[in-house]
Amino acid sequence: MMSGNTDWLANQFETMFAAKPWYGKGMLESLEAIPEERWQRAVGHQSIARLVGHMLMWRRFLIEKLRNNDDFVLQYFSPEEWPEVSHLSAGELLQELKASQAELLEELERVSELALEEKVPSKYDYTKRTLVNGVLQHDIYHLGQINLLNAQIGKGK
């Protein structure tokens, strides 16, 4: 059911995730190059694993809202927004990211152009299109943080 715009949005997620975006390495290329021992190592209060878990939560929020799930709520700065991931390996987090990518692309294929103009279900005051763009920007923002953390940890071997 993809229209020109939903196809464009899906392409943006694919480029950011697995291709060569204009700004540098895609998400998979960046994350797959990070050694396992760096994933849980904190710099300040952040670790690569923690940022990936956070990204996964916002991807889940987007998927659930594209499905019109009123019951799925995510509040800024809540524990749910920053799930505990210290028990997960890099491989497990990468698998979760790959699964979320496939699920997200399925939902973008299913959703109509008209549905993107609907308000996000529940109490949110923005459209689904705004949420899709926001989560894409959110992924790119945190990917930059992850690459910086990796560089900092690498220098401090």
Side-chain angles (χ1 to χ4, degrees), residues 8-36:
W8 184 86
L9 289 167
N11 180 269
Q12 293 300 300
F13 271 97
E14 268 301 295
T15 300
M16 178 274 305
F17 192 77
K20 279 283 196 197
W22 178 84
Y23 50 82
K25 295 177 183 177
M27 186 181 293
L28 275 184
E29 184 181 357
S30 290
L31 294 174
E32 288 175 341
I34 299 172
E36 176 79 36

PDB file of all heavy atoms in Angstrom, residues 8-36:
ATOM      1  N   TRP A   8       9.147   6.790   0.457  1.00  0.00           N
ATOM      2  CA  TRP A   8      10.296   7.648   0.743  1.00  0.00           C
ATOM      3  C   TRP A   8      10.724   7.502   2.200  1.00  0.00           C
ATOM      4  O   TRP A   8      11.913   7.411   2.506  1.00  0.00           O
ATOM      5  CB  TRP A   8       9.952   9.111   0.428  1.00  0.00           C
ATOM      6  CG  TRP A   8      11.094  10.043   0.611  1.00  0.00           C
ATOM      7  CD1 TRP A   8      12.053  10.346  -0.304  1.00  0.00           C
ATOM      8  CD2 TRP A   8      11.426  10.792   1.794  1.00  0.00           C
ATOM      9  NE1 TRP A   8      12.963  11.239   0.241  1.00  0.00           N
ATOM     10  CE2 TRP A   8      12.596  11.521   1.523  1.00  0.00           C
ATOM     11  CE3 TRP A   8      10.839  10.909   3.045  1.00  0.00           C
ATOM     12  CZ2 TRP A   8      13.192  12.359   2.461  1.00  0.00           C
ATOM     13  CZ3 TRP A   8      11.435  11.739   3.986  1.00  0.00           C
ATOM     14  CH2 TRP A   8      12.606  12.458   3.680  1.00  0.00           C
ATOM     15  N   LEU A   9       9.759   7.473   3.127  1.00  0.00           N
ATOM     16  CA  LEU A   9      10.071   7.316   4.547  1.00  0.00           C
ATOM     17  C   LEU A   9      10.749   5.974   4.809  1.00  0.00           C
ATOM     18  O   LEU A   9      11.741   5.899   5.539  1.00  0.00           O
ATOM     19  CB  LEU A   9       8.808   7.449   5.389  1.00  0.00           C
ATOM     20  CG  LEU A   9       8.217   8.851   5.480  1.00  0.00           C
ATOM     21  CD1 LEU A   9       6.810   8.803   6.076  1.00  0.00           C
ATOM     22  CD2 LEU A   9       9.110   9.777   6.282  1.00  0.00           C
ATOM     23  N   ALA A  10      10.222   4.908   4.224  1.00  0.00           N
ATOM     24  CA  ALA A  10      10.831   3.584   4.384  1.00  0.00           C
ATOM     25  C   ALA A  10      12.253   3.595   3.829  1.00  0.00           C
ATOM     26  O   ALA A  10      13.168   3.030   4.436  1.00  0.00           O
ATOM     27  CB  ALA A  10       9.986   2.523   3.683  1.00  0.00           C
ATOM     28  N   ASN A  11      12.453   4.260   2.709  1.00  0.00           N
ATOM     29  CA  ASN A  11      13.786   4.354   2.116  1.00  0.00           C
ATOM     30  C   ASN A  11      14.748   5.100   3.031  1.00  0.00           C
ATOM     31  O   ASN A  11      15.926   4.728   3.144  1.00  0.00           O
ATOM     32  CB  ASN A  11      13.710   5.030   0.735  1.00  0.00           C
ATOM     33  CG  ASN A  11      15.060   5.142   0.093  1.00  0.00           C
ATOM     34  OD1 ASN A  11      15.758   6.142   0.253  1.00  0.00           O
ATOM     35  ND2 ASN A  11      15.441   4.100  -0.625  1.00  0.00           N
ATOM     36  N   GLN A  12      14.265   6.116   3.715  1.00  0.00           N
ATOM     37  CA  GLN A  12      15.106   6.858   4.651  1.00  0.00           C
ATOM     38  C   GLN A  12      15.554   5.957   5.803  1.00  0.00           C
ATOM     39  O   GLN A  12      16.713   6.000   6.215  1.00  0.00           O
ATOM     40  CB  GLN A  12      14.375   8.091   5.189  1.00  0.00           C
ATOM     41  CG  GLN A  12      14.097   9.150   4.146  1.00  0.00           C
ATOM     42  CD  GLN A  12      15.374   9.674   3.530  1.00  0.00           C
ATOM     43  OE1 GLN A  12      16.236  10.206   4.218  1.00  0.00           O
ATOM     44  NE2 GLN A  12      15.513   9.504   2.237  1.00  0.00           N
ATOM     45  N   PHE A  13      14.639   5.145   6.319  1.00  0.00           N
ATOM     46  CA  PHE A  13      15.001   4.217   7.386  1.00  0.00           C
ATOM     47  C   PHE A  13      15.988   3.156   6.886  1.00  0.00           C
ATOM     48  O   PHE A  13      16.923   2.794   7.592  1.00  0.00           O
ATOM     49  CB  PHE A  13      13.760   3.543   7.992  1.00  0.00           C
ATOM     50  CG  PHE A  13      13.171   4.311   9.129  1.00  0.00           C
ATOM     51  CD1 PHE A  13      12.100   5.166   8.929  1.00  0.00           C
ATOM     52  CD2 PHE A  13      13.689   4.194  10.415  1.00  0.00           C
ATOM     53  CE1 PHE A  13      11.556   5.884   9.980  1.00  0.00           C
ATOM     54  CE2 PHE A  13      13.148   4.911  11.474  1.00  0.00           C
ATOM     55  CZ  PHE A  13      12.083   5.758  11.251  1.00  0.00           C
ATOM     56  N   GLU A  14      15.777   2.674   5.675  1.00  0.00           N
ATOM     57  CA  GLU A  14      16.699   1.685   5.110  1.00  0.00           C
ATOM     58  C   GLU A  14      18.086   2.275   4.901  1.00  0.00           C
ATOM     59  O   GLU A  14      19.090   1.637   5.193  1.00  0.00           O
ATOM     60  CB  GLU A  14      16.165   1.159   3.773  1.00  0.00           C
ATOM     61  CG  GLU A  14      15.331  -0.072   3.903  1.00  0.00           C
ATOM     62  CD  GLU A  14      16.101  -1.228   4.542  1.00  0.00           C
ATOM     63  OE1 GLU A  14      17.087  -1.721   3.952  1.00  0.00           O
ATOM     64  OE2 GLU A  14      15.717  -1.637   5.643  1.00  0.00           O
ATOM     65  N   THR A  15      18.151   3.495   4.391  1.00  0.00           N
ATOM     66  CA  THR A  15      19.442   4.147   4.166  1.00  0.00           C
ATOM     67  C   THR A  15      20.170   4.362   5.479  1.00  0.00           C
ATOM     68  O   THR A  15      21.361   4.063   5.595  1.00  0.00           O
ATOM     69  CB  THR A  15      19.243   5.491   3.433  1.00  0.00           C
ATOM     70  OG1 THR A  15      18.622   5.231   2.170  1.00  0.00           O
ATOM     71  CG2 THR A  15      20.556   6.215   3.219  1.00  0.00           C
ATOM     72  N   MET A  16      19.472   4.848   6.486  1.00  0.00           N
ATOM     73  CA  MET A  16      20.086   5.084   7.785  1.00  0.00           C
ATOM     74  C   MET A  16      20.531   3.767   8.415  1.00  0.00           C
ATOM     75  O   MET A  16      21.572   3.683   9.047  1.00  0.00           O
ATOM     76  CB  MET A  16      19.083   5.801   8.699  1.00  0.00           C
ATOM     77  CG  MET A  16      19.558   6.069  10.113  1.00  0.00           C
ATOM     78  SD  MET A  16      19.301   4.714  11.277  1.00  0.00           S
ATOM     79  CE  MET A  16      17.573   4.392  11.129  1.00  0.00           C
ATOM     80  N   PHE A  17      19.780   2.709   8.213  1.00  0.00           N
ATOM     81  CA  PHE A  17      20.030   1.453   8.901  1.00  0.00           C
ATOM     82  C   PHE A  17      21.115   0.607   8.227  1.00  0.00           C
ATOM     83  O   PHE A  17      22.056   0.179   8.884  1.00  0.00           O
ATOM     84  CB  PHE A  17      18.726   0.645   8.979  1.00  0.00           C
ATOM     85  CG  PHE A  17      18.800  -0.534   9.900  1.00  0.00           C
ATOM     86  CD1 PHE A  17      18.738  -0.356  11.263  1.00  0.00           C
ATOM     87  CD2 PHE A  17      18.923  -1.821   9.403  1.00  0.00           C
ATOM     88  CE1 PHE A  17      18.810  -1.434  12.135  1.00  0.00           C
ATOM     89  CE2 PHE A  17      18.990  -2.904  10.260  1.00  0.00           C
ATOM     90  CZ  PHE A  17      18.927  -2.709  11.627  1.00  0.00           C
ATOM     91  N   ALA A  18      20.984   0.384   6.937  1.00  0.00           N
ATOM     92  CA  ALA A  18      21.834  -0.626   6.306  1.00  0.00           C
ATOM     93  C   ALA A  18      22.600  -0.151   5.076  1.00  0.00           C
ATOM     94  O   ALA A  18      23.359  -0.913   4.503  1.00  0.00           O
ATOM     95  CB  ALA A  18      20.982  -1.837   5.931  1.00  0.00           C
ATOM     96  N   ALA A  19      22.419   1.071   4.693  1.00  0.00           N
ATOM     97  CA  ALA A  19      23.084   1.555   3.482  1.00  0.00           C
ATOM     98  C   ALA A  19      24.183   2.547   3.853  1.00  0.00           C
ATOM     99  O   ALA A  19      24.682   2.555   4.969  1.00  0.00           O
ATOM    100  CB  ALA A  19      22.062   2.182   2.538  1.00  0.00           C
ATOM    101  N   LYS A  20      24.536   3.373   2.917  1.00  0.00           N
ATOM    102  CA  LYS A  20      25.556   4.406   3.126  1.00  0.00           C
ATOM    103  C   LYS A  20      24.872   5.770   3.125  1.00  0.00           C
ATOM    104  O   LYS A  20      24.705   6.388   2.083  1.00  0.00           O
ATOM    105  CB  LYS A  20      26.585   4.358   1.992  1.00  0.00           C
ATOM    106  CG  LYS A  20      27.637   3.306   2.151  1.00  0.00           C
ATOM    107  CD  LYS A  20      28.643   3.766   3.145  1.00  0.00           C
ATOM    108  CE  LYS A  20      29.901   2.948   3.076  1.00  0.00           C
ATOM    109  NZ  LYS A  20      30.693   3.111   4.261  1.00  0.00           N
ATOM    110  N   PRO A  21      24.466   6.245   4.313  1.00  0.00           N
ATOM    111  CA  PRO A  21      23.856   7.570   4.354  1.00  0.00           C
ATOM    112  C   PRO A  21      24.879   8.655   4.039  1.00  0.00           C
ATOM    113  O   PRO A  21      26.084   8.430   4.146  1.00  0.00           O
ATOM    114  CB  PRO A  21      23.349   7.686   5.792  1.00  0.00           C
ATOM    115  CG  PRO A  21      24.137   6.699   6.570  1.00  0.00           C
ATOM    116  CD  PRO A  21      24.556   5.623   5.622  1.00  0.00           C
ATOM    117  N   TRP A  22      24.391   9.800   3.700  1.00  0.00           N
ATOM    118  CA  TRP A  22      25.241  10.924   3.319  1.00  0.00           C
ATOM    119  C   TRP A  22      26.216  11.290   4.434  1.00  0.00           C
ATOM    120  O   TRP A  22      27.344  11.679   4.183  1.00  0.00           O
ATOM    121  CB  TRP A  22      24.336  12.107   2.965  1.00  0.00           C
ATOM    122  CG  TRP A  22      25.073  13.335   2.596  1.00  0.00           C
ATOM    123  CD1 TRP A  22      25.573  13.645   1.352  1.00  0.00           C
ATOM    124  CD2 TRP A  22      25.412  14.418   3.453  1.00  0.00           C
ATOM    125  NE1 TRP A  22      26.195  14.852   1.401  1.00  0.00           N
ATOM    126  CE2 TRP A  22      26.112  15.363   2.681  1.00  0.00           C
ATOM    127  CE3 TRP A  22      25.191  14.694   4.791  1.00  0.00           C
ATOM    128  CZ2 TRP A  22      26.584  16.548   3.210  1.00  0.00           C
ATOM    129  CZ3 TRP A  22      25.667  15.874   5.315  1.00  0.00           C
ATOM    130  CH2 TRP A  22      26.357  16.780   4.515  1.00  0.00           C
ATOM    131  N   TYR A  23      25.796  11.180   5.683  1.00  0.00           N
ATOM    132  CA  TYR A  23      26.596  11.638   6.820  1.00  0.00           C
ATOM    133  C   TYR A  23      27.652  10.628   7.267  1.00  0.00           C
ATOM    134  O   TYR A  23      28.410  10.909   8.182  1.00  0.00           O
ATOM    135  CB  TYR A  23      25.702  12.001   8.011  1.00  0.00           C
ATOM    136  CG  TYR A  23      24.700  10.925   8.360  1.00  0.00           C
ATOM    137  CD1 TYR A  23      25.057   9.827   9.134  1.00  0.00           C
ATOM    138  CD2 TYR A  23      23.392  10.997   7.884  1.00  0.00           C
ATOM    139  CE1 TYR A  23      24.150   8.836   9.435  1.00  0.00           C
ATOM    140  CE2 TYR A  23      22.487  10.010   8.184  1.00  0.00           C
ATOM    141  CZ  TYR A  23      22.871   8.928   8.950  1.00  0.00           C
ATOM    142  OH  TYR A  23      21.957   7.950   9.235  1.00  0.00           O
ATOM    143  N   GLY A  24      27.718   9.452   6.687  1.00  0.00           N
ATOM    144  CA  GLY A  24      28.756   8.490   7.076  1.00  0.00           C
ATOM    145  C   GLY A  24      28.256   7.070   7.089  1.00  0.00           C
ATOM    146  O   GLY A  24      27.525   6.652   6.202  1.00  0.00           O
ATOM    147  N   LYS A  25      28.631   6.306   8.110  1.00  0.00           N
ATOM    148  CA  LYS A  25      28.262   4.901   8.217  1.00  0.00           C
ATOM    149  C   LYS A  25      26.812   4.746   8.666  1.00  0.00           C
ATOM    150  O   LYS A  25      26.335   5.506   9.494  1.00  0.00           O
ATOM    151  CB  LYS A  25      29.154   4.196   9.240  1.00  0.00           C
ATOM    152  CG  LYS A  25      30.605   4.119   8.850  1.00  0.00           C
ATOM    153  CD  LYS A  25      31.396   3.465   9.966  1.00  0.00           C
ATOM    154  CE  LYS A  25      32.869   3.450   9.614  1.00  0.00           C
ATOM    155  NZ  LYS A  25      33.668   2.881  10.727  1.00  0.00           N
ATOM    156  N   GLY A  26      26.157   3.723   8.131  1.00  0.00           N
ATOM    157  CA  GLY A  26      24.817   3.387   8.577  1.00  0.00           C
ATOM    158  C   GLY A  26      24.857   2.721   9.943  1.00  0.00           C
ATOM    159  O   GLY A  26      25.925   2.401  10.482  1.00  0.00           O
ATOM    160  N   MET A  27      23.691   2.500  10.509  1.00  0.00           N
ATOM    161  CA  MET A  27      23.592   1.957  11.851  1.00  0.00           C
ATOM    162  C   MET A  27      24.254   0.582  11.967  1.00  0.00           C
ATOM    163  O   MET A  27      25.054   0.349  12.875  1.00  0.00           O
ATOM    164  CB  MET A  27      22.124   1.884  12.285  1.00  0.00           C
ATOM    165  CG  MET A  27      21.966   1.464  13.744  1.00  0.00           C
ATOM    166  SD  MET A  27      20.251   1.327  14.275  1.00  0.00           S
ATOM    167  CE  MET A  27      19.737   3.027  14.212  1.00  0.00           C
ATOM    168  N   LEU A  28      23.910  -0.331  11.074  1.00  0.00           N
ATOM    169  CA  LEU A  28      24.488  -1.674  11.171  1.00  0.00           C
ATOM    170  C   LEU A  28      25.993  -1.663  11.009  1.00  0.00           C
ATOM    171  O   LEU A  28      26.703  -2.321  11.772  1.00  0.00           O
ATOM    172  CB  LEU A  28      23.862  -2.600  10.121  1.00  0.00           C
ATOM    173  CG  LEU A  28      22.566  -3.266  10.489  1.00  0.00           C
ATOM    174  CD1 LEU A  28      22.132  -4.225   9.391  1.00  0.00           C
ATOM    175  CD2 LEU A  28      22.637  -3.977  11.820  1.00  0.00           C
ATOM    176  N   GLU A  29      26.493  -0.942  10.023  1.00  0.00           N
ATOM    177  CA  GLU A  29      27.931  -0.886   9.811  1.00  0.00           C
ATOM    178  C   GLU A  29      28.642  -0.340  11.050  1.00  0.00           C
ATOM    179  O   GLU A  29      29.683  -0.867  11.464  1.00  0.00           O
ATOM    180  CB  GLU A  29      28.260  -0.013   8.594  1.00  0.00           C
ATOM    181  CG  GLU A  29      29.731   0.018   8.262  1.00  0.00           C
ATOM    182  CD  GLU A  29      30.063   0.900   7.060  1.00  0.00           C
ATOM    183  OE1 GLU A  29      29.139   1.468   6.431  1.00  0.00           O
ATOM    184  OE2 GLU A  29      31.263   1.024   6.756  1.00  0.00           O
ATOM    185  N   SER A  30      28.077   0.680  11.651  1.00  0.00           N
ATOM    186  CA  SER A  30      28.667   1.254  12.863  1.00  0.00           C
ATOM    187  C   SER A  30      28.642   0.262  14.018  1.00  0.00           C
ATOM    188  O   SER A  30      29.661   0.009  14.662  1.00  0.00           O
ATOM    189  CB  SER A  30      27.921   2.520  13.282  1.00  0.00           C
ATOM    190  OG  SER A  30      28.153   3.565  12.372  1.00  0.00           O
ATOM    191  N   LEU A  31      27.468  -0.300  14.296  1.00  0.00           N
ATOM    192  CA  LEU A  31      27.309  -1.160  15.461  1.00  0.00           C
ATOM    193  C   LEU A  31      28.044  -2.486  15.323  1.00  0.00           C
ATOM    194  O   LEU A  31      28.620  -2.991  16.299  1.00  0.00           O
ATOM    195  CB  LEU A  31      25.830  -1.396  15.754  1.00  0.00           C
ATOM    196  CG  LEU A  31      25.044  -0.163  16.195  1.00  0.00           C
ATOM    197  CD1 LEU A  31      23.562  -0.485  16.305  1.00  0.00           C
ATOM    198  CD2 LEU A  31      25.574   0.390  17.502  1.00  0.00           C
ATOM    199  N   GLU A  32      28.031  -3.059  14.135  1.00  0.00           N
ATOM    200  CA  GLU A  32      28.702  -4.347  13.949  1.00  0.00           C
ATOM    201  C   GLU A  32      30.220  -4.237  14.080  1.00  0.00           C
ATOM    202  O   GLU A  32      30.885  -5.235  14.330  1.00  0.00           O
ATOM    203  CB  GLU A  32      28.307  -4.960  12.608  1.00  0.00           C
ATOM    204  CG  GLU A  32      26.870  -5.471  12.613  1.00  0.00           C
ATOM    205  CD  GLU A  32      26.382  -5.983  11.276  1.00  0.00           C
ATOM    206  OE1 GLU A  32      26.992  -5.640  10.225  1.00  0.00           O
ATOM    207  OE2 GLU A  32      25.380  -6.734  11.275  1.00  0.00           O
ATOM    208  N   ALA A  33      30.761  -3.047  13.952  1.00  0.00           N
ATOM    209  CA  ALA A  33      32.210  -2.849  14.061  1.00  0.00           C
ATOM    210  C   ALA A  33      32.661  -2.619  15.507  1.00  0.00           C
ATOM    211  O   ALA A  33      33.857  -2.581  15.783  1.00  0.00           O
ATOM    212  CB  ALA A  33      32.635  -1.664  13.189  1.00  0.00           C
ATOM    213  N   ILE A  34      31.723  -2.480  16.422  1.00  0.00           N
ATOM    214  CA  ILE A  34      32.075  -2.189  17.819  1.00  0.00           C
ATOM    215  C   ILE A  34      32.322  -3.503  18.554  1.00  0.00           C
ATOM    216  O   ILE A  34      31.437  -4.366  18.609  1.00  0.00           O
ATOM    217  CB  ILE A  34      30.957  -1.377  18.514  1.00  0.00           C
ATOM    218  CG1 ILE A  34      30.753  -0.038  17.795  1.00  0.00           C
ATOM    219  CG2 ILE A  34      31.294  -1.157  19.990  1.00  0.00           C
ATOM    220  CD1 ILE A  34      29.556   0.754  18.276  1.00  0.00           C
ATOM    221  N   PRO A  35      33.501  -3.656  19.145  1.00  0.00           N
ATOM    222  CA  PRO A  35      33.793  -4.888  19.894  1.00  0.00           C
ATOM    223  C   PRO A  35      32.827  -5.075  21.069  1.00  0.00           C
ATOM    224  O   PRO A  35      32.411  -4.108  21.711  1.00  0.00           O
ATOM    225  CB  PRO A  35      35.220  -4.680  20.407  1.00  0.00           C
ATOM    226  CG  PRO A  35      35.802  -3.595  19.552  1.00  0.00           C
ATOM    227  CD  PRO A  35      34.652  -2.737  19.128  1.00  0.00           C
ATOM    228  N   GLU A  36      32.501  -6.320  21.342  1.00  0.00           N
ATOM    229  CA  GLU A  36      31.562  -6.677  22.414  1.00  0.00           C
ATOM    230  C   GLU A  36      31.911  -6.006  23.744  1.00  0.00           C
ATOM    231  O   GLU A  36      31.029  -5.502  24.442  1.00  0.00           O
ATOM    232  CB  GLU A  36      31.558  -8.206  22.592  1.00  0.00           C
ATOM    233  CG  GLU A  36      30.708  -8.704  23.737  1.00  0.00           C
ATOM    234  CD  GLU A  36      29.223  -8.760  23.437  1.00  0.00           C
ATOM    235  OE1 GLU A  36      28.851  -9.086  22.299  1.00  0.00           O
ATOM    236  OE2 GLU A  36      28.441  -8.465  24.357  1.00  0.00           O
TER     237      GLU A  36
END
